[in-house]
Amino acid sequence: MKKIALAAAVALLGLGSPAVAQDSDFDSRQIIPNFTKPNLEAIAAQLEPTKTEWRRFGDGEDALAITMQSGAIILVKPAACGTGGCVGLAITALWQKQEGQSDALIHERLAAFNDTAVPSASLYTNGIIALTHYVIADFGIPQGNIVVTLN
């Protein structure tokens, strides 16, 4: 988790490619059998980000860094890859704590988030807030579901 938070901070400083153009032919109901760079880029475009770029992290794996208009960064990393493609998607959302927000309130909300499902949430001492989530698509998943999850 610390590696991803650090990588997201580095992504904030780097120069990336322009945002992927939003596809007017995007069908939210279309089932994608696995996670690929092209379908993740098409999904990211639906979020109307300010920037998207593929970054290679310390583990040698690529993740799509999606910078949102709010300044939050969402990292999506294909996982559980085999001969049939990648059927897992690790998602981490990061943003800076806002001035005036109490740590107690943030910790309370993060604890509530952590109690709801497999995801986890953290507040780092530098004010970075991180949410993680994992999506399983063993038998395919509607691409619109991923848009909703990331938004």
Side-chain angles (χ1 to χ4, degrees), residues 2-27:
K2 288 183 182 179
K3 283 184 181 178
I4 291 177
L6 177 62
V10 171
L12 277 173
L13 302 173
L15 297 174
S17 59
V20 179
Q22 193 168 13
D23 182 2
S24 61
D25 294 331
F26 186 86
D27 180 0

Side-chain angles (χ1 to χ4, degrees), residues 27-46:
D27 180 0
S28 295
R29 295 168 296 178
Q30 179 182 340
I31 302 294
I32 54 173
N34 51 39
F35 300 108
T36 64
K37 285 185 176 185
N39 67 30
L40 289 174
E41 289 169 356
I43 289 167
Q46 301 310 301

Side-chain angles (χ1 to χ4, degrees), residues 22-137:
Q22 193 168 13
D23 182 2
S24 61
D25 294 331
F26 186 86
D27 180 0
S28 295
R29 295 168 296 178
Q30 179 182 340
I31 302 294
I32 54 173
N34 51 39
F35 300 108
T36 64
K37 285 185 176 185
N39 67 30
L40 289 174
E41 289 169 356
I43 289 167
Q46 301 310 301
L47 303 172
E48 299 181 9
T50 60
K51 179 172 67 172
T52 59
E53 66 179 318
W54 285 95
R55 301 303 287 292
R56 178 147 298 164
F57 292 102
D59 59 4
E61 300 291 328
D62 290 338
L64 182 60
I66 306 164
T67 304
M68 303 299 289
Q69 293 178 16
S70 67
I73 295 176
I74 302 172
L75 299 172
V76 293
K77 180 180 171 186
C81 302
T83 56
C86 299
V87 294
L89 187 65
I91 302 168
T92 302
L94 303 152
W95 64 95
Q96 185 69 42
K97 177 182 148 186
Q98 294 179 0
E99 196 171 319
Q101 285 183 314
S102 77
D103 285 356
L105 178 61
I106 291 172
H107 284 292
E108 181 181 311
R109 290 181 178 168
L110 296 179
F113 178 82
N114 286 340
D115 286 342
T116 62
V118 176
S120 67
S122 304
L123 170 63
Y124 293 93
T125 56
N126 63 358
I128 297 290
I129 301 167
L131 302 178
T132 62
H133 184 64
Y134 191 81
V135 176
I136 299 170

